C-alpha cells in the first residue's frame, strides 16, 4: 500500500471525479434545488403578509384568495422540482455507482498476487459490492442535497435578520450549539461505522470460506468448531450494531429536543417582541416557519447520519484498495521466438526472509521440455509464478534474451503461455456442444480436469505449463496427455508432477530441494547417480508404475 496519508480530502477528491461526466445533469438538479429553496422561502413570507394584513384589518377576501393561490403554486413548484432533482440524482447516482464498481474491480484484477494472499475473498467481495452500494447515499443525499439545505439556511438567516436582529442571533447561537454537539460525536460515529463495516466484511469472508470448504468441515467433524467461530464473529457484528444504535439513540433525541426547545425560546422571546411592537405577528409566524426550515436539514442529517457515516467508512475501505499500487511492467512485447529464459541468482520469499528460492539459477531454451521435481514446498510452483509475473523476486532477475522480465508487457507474455493447473475454478463450468443451453455442469474432479486441459490446449501458445494438471486423471488419460506432449515437440514445456508417468527421454529434469537446484539432467543421466532423483523415481515406481 502506498504511504500517502489517507484522509477525507483525498477520498472526497477521488469520489467527486466520478461525478464529472454527469456535471451538467447535476447542475440541472442543483438549479432545481435552488428553485425549491426559493419557493420554500416565499411560502412563509406570503403567509406573513396575509397574517399581518388580517391582524391590521386591511385584508380583503380577494387578497386572501390571491395569496392562497400563490402559496398553492409555490407548494406545487416545490413538489415538481423536488421530483425532478430527486430523479436526476438517483439516476446519476446509479450510473456513478456502476463506474466506481467497474473501476474497483478492474483495479483489483491488476493488483499484485501478494495482495490476494493477504486478503480474504469475503473482504474483497464486500468492498466491491456492499461498500460501493453504501456510497450511493453520498451522491444522492450529500453531494447536491446538502448544497440545497445550505442555501435554505443562508436564505432563512438573511430574511430573519431583516425581521429582528436579536431573535436571529438567538437562533444562530442555538444552531452553533447543535453543530458543536454534532462535531463532538463525529469521531465516535465514524469509529462506530468503521467497526461495523469491518465486522460485516469479516462475517461475509468467514461465510464464504466456510461454504467453499464445507466438504472438509464435514469430513473432519469441524461443524461445531466452525459454528463457534461464526458465533464469535456474529456477536462482534451484533455488538457493532448495538454501538451504532446507542450512539444514534443519543444524537437524534438531542436534535429533536433542541428543535422543541428553540421553538419555545422563539415563542417566549418573539412574543415579547410582538407586545413591544418590535415584531409583527406575521413575522413571528414566519420566523417559526423558518426555524422549522433550519432544523429540517439538521434533522434530516440526523436521520441520515448513520447512512452517511457508513458511506464514509465504506469509501475509506475502498480508497485503501484503490491506493494499492498495481503490478508495474514495461511495454516491450514478448517475442514468441525467444532464444532463452534465464533465472539469475533468484532469491524469493512470500514473507520477510523466509526464502522459498535461494540463489536459484535456471536456463530454459526455446523448445526445451522441462520436468520440475521436488517435495512440497521446494519451490516448483514458485518458479512458474515468477515466470508468469505473479510475483517478483526480492533478489536476482529473470531475463528473456537478456532483457529483464519487468520490461515486458506482461499480458503479451501470458498470451503466449498455456497454463493448466490442478484446480481452475473459473472453468469448472464448461460448455458442452450437445447442450442446447450451452451450460453443461461438469461434476467429477477428473471430468473437470479433462475439460480444463482440453480448453487450455485449444488456446494458441508457444510455452505450455502443466502444474500437477494430471493429478486427478487415471493412468490411461495421463498417457493421452503424454502423447499430446510428444506431438508438440517444437513447443517449450514446463511440467510439475509428483507422478513420473509424463517423463520422456528428451526431458530435462530439474530436481529442487529447500529452494535450491540440486540435480539436473535427463532420466538416463540421473537414474544411476543414487541421488535425490533416483530416490523419487524408485518411490514412484513402487506406488504408480507397479
Amino acid at each position: 500500500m502506498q504511504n500517502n496519508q489517507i484522509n477525507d480530502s483525498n477520498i472526497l477528491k477521488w469520489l467527486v471525479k466520478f461525478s464529472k461526466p454527469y456535471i451538467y445533469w447535476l447542475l440541472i438538479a442543483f438549479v432545481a434545488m435552488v428553485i425549491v429553496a426559493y419557493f420554500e422561502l416565499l411560502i412563509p413570507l406570503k403567509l406573513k403578509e396575509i397574517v399581518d394584513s388580517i391582524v391590521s384589518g386591511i385584508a380583503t377576501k380577494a387578497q386572501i384568495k390571491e395569496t392562497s393561490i400563490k402559496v398553492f403554486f409555490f407548494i406545487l413548484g416545490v413538489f415538481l422540482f423536488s421530483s425532478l432533482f430527486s430523479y436526476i440524482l438517483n439516476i446519476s447516482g446509479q450510473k456513478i455507482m456502476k463506474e466506481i464498481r467497474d473501476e474497483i474491480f478492474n483495479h483489483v484484477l491488476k493488483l499484485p498476487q501478494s495482495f490476494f494472499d493477504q486478503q480474504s475473498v469475503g473482504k474483497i467481495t464486500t468492498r466491491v459490492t456492499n461498500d460501493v452500494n453504501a456510497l450511493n447515499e453520498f451522491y444522492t443525499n450529500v453531494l447536491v442535497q446538502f448544497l440545497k439545505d445550505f442555501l435554505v439556511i443562508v436564505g432563512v438567516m438573511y430574511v430573519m435578520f431583516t425581521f429582528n436582529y436579536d431573535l436571529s442571533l438567538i437562533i444562530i447561537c442555538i444552531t452553533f450549539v447543535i453543530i458543536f454537539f454534532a462535531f463532538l460525536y463525529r469521531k465516535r460515529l465514524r469509529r462506530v461505522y468503521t467497526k461495523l463495516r469491518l465486522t460485516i466484511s469479516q462475517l461475509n469472508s468467514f461465510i464464504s470460506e466456510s461454504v467453499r470448504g464445507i466438504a472438509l468441515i464435514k469430513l473432519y467433524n469441524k461443524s461445531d468448531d466452525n459454528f463457534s467461530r461464526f458465533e464469535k464473529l456474529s456477536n462482534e457484528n451484533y455488538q457493532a450494531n448495538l454501538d451504532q444504535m446507542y450512539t444514534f439513540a443519543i444524537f437524534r433525541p438531542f436534535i429533536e429536543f433542541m428543535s422543541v426547545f428553540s421553538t419555545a425560546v422563539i415563542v417566549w422571546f418573539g412574543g415579547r417582541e410582538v407586545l413591544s411592537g418590535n415584531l409583527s405577528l406575521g413575522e413571528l409566524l414566519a420566523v417559526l416557519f423558518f426555524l422549522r426550515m433550519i432544523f429540517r436539514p439538521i434533522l434530516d442529517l440526523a436521520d441520515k447520519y448513520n447512512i452517511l457515516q457508513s458511506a464514509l467508512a465504506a469509501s475509506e475501505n475502498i480508497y485503501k484498495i484503490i491506493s494499492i499500487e498495481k503490478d508495474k511492467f514495461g511495454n516491450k512485447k514478448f517475442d514468441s521466438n525467444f532464444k532463452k529464459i534465464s533465472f539469475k541468482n533468484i532469491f524469493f520469499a512470500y514473507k520477510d526472509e523466509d526464502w522459498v528460492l535461494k540463489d536459484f539459477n535456471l536456463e530454459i531454451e526455446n523448445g526445451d521440455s522441462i520436468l520440475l521435481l521436488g517435495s512440497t514446498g521446494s519451490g516448483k510452483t514458485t518458479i512458474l509464478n515468477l515466470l508468469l509475473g505473479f510475483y517478483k523476486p526480492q533478489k536476482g532477475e529473470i531475463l528473456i534474451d537478456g532483457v529483464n522480465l519487468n520490461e515486458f508487457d506482461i499480458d503479451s507474455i501470458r498470451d503466449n503461455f498455456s497454463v493448466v493447473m490442478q484446480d481452475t475454478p473459473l472453468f469448472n463450468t464448461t460448455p458442452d456442444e450437445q447442450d442446447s443451453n450451452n451450460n453443461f455442469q461438469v461434476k467429477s474432479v477428473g471430468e473437470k480436469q479433462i475439460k480444463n486441459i482440453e480448453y487450455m490446449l485449444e488456446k494458441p501458445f508457444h510455452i505450455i505449463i502443466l502444474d500437477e494438471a494430471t493429478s486427478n486423471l487415471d493412468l490411461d488419460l495421463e498417457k493421452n496427455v503424454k502423447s499430446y506432449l510428444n506431438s508438440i515437440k517444437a513447443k517449450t514445456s514446463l511440467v510439475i508432477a509428483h507422478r513420473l508417468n509424463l517423463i520422456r527421454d528428451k526431458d530435462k529434469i530439474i530436481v529442487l530441494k529447500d529452494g535450491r537446484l540440486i540435480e539436473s539432467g535427463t532420466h538416463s543421466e540421473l537414474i544411476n547417480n543414487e541421488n535425490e532423483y533416483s530416490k523419487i523415481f524408485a518411490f514412484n515406481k513402487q506406488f504408480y508404475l507397479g
Side-chain angles (χ1 to χ4, degrees), residues 469-486:
T470 62
S471 59
N472 293 311
L473 302 184
D474 59 32
L475 295 180
D476 289 335
L477 290 174
E478 196 172 51
K479 289 179 181 179
N480 292 338
V481 175
K482 185 174 181 179
S483 298
Y484 177 80
L485 291 175
N486 286 326

Side-chain angles (χ1 to χ4, degrees), residues 7 34 57 68 74 107 111 140 150-151 173 178 203 256 269 290 313 343 382 402 404 427 480 499 512:
N7 53 46
V34 172
S68 300
F74 290 152
H107 183 80
L111 290 179
T140 56
F150 176 76
L151 288 175
C173 291
I178 296 172
L203 201 57
E256 291 181 341
F269 187 83
F290 286 141
F343 287 74
T382 298
N404 195 295
F427 305 122
N480 292 338
R499 287 154 50 173
L512 298 169

Side-chain angles (χ1 to χ4, degrees), residues 270-328:
R272 294 176 59 186
E273 292 293 286
V274 170
L275 293 176
S276 63
N278 296 326
L279 190 72
S280 70
L281 184 61
E283 289 174 334
L284 177 60
L285 182 63
V287 167
L288 290 173
F289 268 97
F290 286 141
L291 183 66
R292 185 183 175 193
M293 291 173 66
I294 290 176
F295 273 91
R296 187 178 62 196
I298 297 176
L299 285 170
D300 186 58
L301 174 61
D303 278 333
K304 290 186 172 62
Y305 207 59
N306 60 336
I307 301 174
L308 175 60
Q309 287 298 325
S310 181
L312 290 174
S315 64
E316 185 174 336
N317 291 335
I318 293 172
Y319 192 74
K320 287 179 181 178
I321 291 182
I322 291 296
S323 299
I324 299 173
E325 292 185 356
K326 301 177 184 178
D327 267 338
K328 291 183 178 180

Side-chain angles (χ1 to χ4, degrees), residues 283-455:
E283 289 174 334
L284 177 60
L285 182 63
V287 167
L288 290 173
F289 268 97
F290 286 141
L291 183 66
R292 185 183 175 193
M293 291 173 66
I294 290 176
F295 273 91
R296 187 178 62 196
I298 297 176
L299 285 170
D300 186 58
L301 174 61
D303 278 333
K304 290 186 172 62
Y305 207 59
N306 60 336
I307 301 174
L308 175 60
Q309 287 298 325
S310 181
L312 290 174
S315 64
E316 185 174 336
N317 291 335
I318 293 172
Y319 192 74
K320 287 179 181 178
I321 291 182
I322 291 296
S323 299
I324 299 173
E325 292 185 356
K326 301 177 184 178
D327 267 338
K328 291 183 178 180
F329 289 93
N331 299 317
K332 184 178 177 62
K333 298 298 181 181
F334 175 67
D335 185 357
S336 56
N337 295 318
F338 72 95
K339 294 180 180 179
K340 184 169 62 176
I341 299 175
S342 303
F343 287 74
K344 297 287 188 181
N345 308 117
I346 296 294
F347 281 80
F348 176 79
Y350 291 101
K351 184 179 181 182
D352 300 328
E353 293 189 359
D354 186 12
W355 302 114
V356 178
L357 293 177
K358 308 166 190 175
D359 197 22
F360 177 77
N361 292 273
L362 176 66
E363 290 191 352
I364 304 170
E365 296 184 355
N366 198 335
D368 272 353
S369 178
I370 295 178
L371 183 70
L372 297 174
L373 295 178
S375 59
T376 301
S378 60
K380 303 185 300 297
T381 300
T382 298
I383 293 171
L384 305 184
N385 286 335
L386 292 174
L387 180 58
L388 292 169
F390 293 130
Y391 299 93
K392 295 181 180 180
Q394 284 84 359
K395 299 179 184 179
E397 55 184 351
I398 301 173
L399 305 174
I400 300 178
D401 292 337
V403 180
N404 195 295
L405 177 66
N406 295 333
E407 297 183 24
F408 285 88
D409 175 1
I410 196 63
D411 290 336
S412 71
I413 288 180
R414 292 170 184 168
D415 284 341
N416 282 278
F417 279 76
S418 186
V419 183
V420 185
M421 297 184 178
Q422 184 174 358
D423 183 28
T424 48
L426 285 178
F427 305 122
N428 281 348
T429 300
T430 56
D432 184 82
E433 295 178 357
Q434 297 180 357
D435 181 55
S436 58
N437 295 322
N438 200 32
N439 190 28
F440 172 70
Q441 181 69 34
V442 181
K443 294 183 178 179
S444 75
V445 176
E447 285 179 312
K448 290 178 183 179
Q449 227 167 350
I450 294 170
K451 289 289 182 180
N452 294 338
I453 292 172
E454 290 176 351
Y455 178 87

Side-chain angles (χ1 to χ4, degrees), residues 7 9 48 59 88 101 149 227 304 311 394 411 518 531:
N7 53 46
S9 62
K48 172 255 178 191
I88 292 175
R101 189 181 297 111
D149 291 338
F227 182 71
K304 290 186 172 62
Q394 284 84 359
D411 290 336
I518 59 172
N531 289 324

Side-chain angles (χ1 to χ4, degrees), residues 222-288:
K222 294 293 183 181
S223 297
D224 291 341
D225 292 342
N226 192 265
F227 182 71
S228 296
R229 291 175 60 196
F230 173 81
E231 277 191 314
K232 180 177 180 293
L233 293 173
S234 180
N235 185 62
E236 290 176 356
N237 179 254
Y238 169 73
Q239 292 298 330
N241 277 286
L242 286 182
D243 289 343
Q244 171 192 340
M245 183 189 70
Y246 292 146
T247 303
F248 194 60
I250 296 174
F251 187 72
R252 174 60 192 263
F254 175 79
I255 300 297
E256 291 181 341
F257 167 76
M258 291 302 296
S259 175
V260 175
F261 174 76
S262 301
T263 302
V265 170
I266 296 305
V267 170
W268 175 73
F269 187 83
R272 294 176 59 186
E273 292 293 286
V274 170
L275 293 176
S276 63
N278 296 326
L279 190 72
S280 70
L281 184 61
E283 289 174 334
L284 177 60
L285 182 63
V287 167
L288 290 173

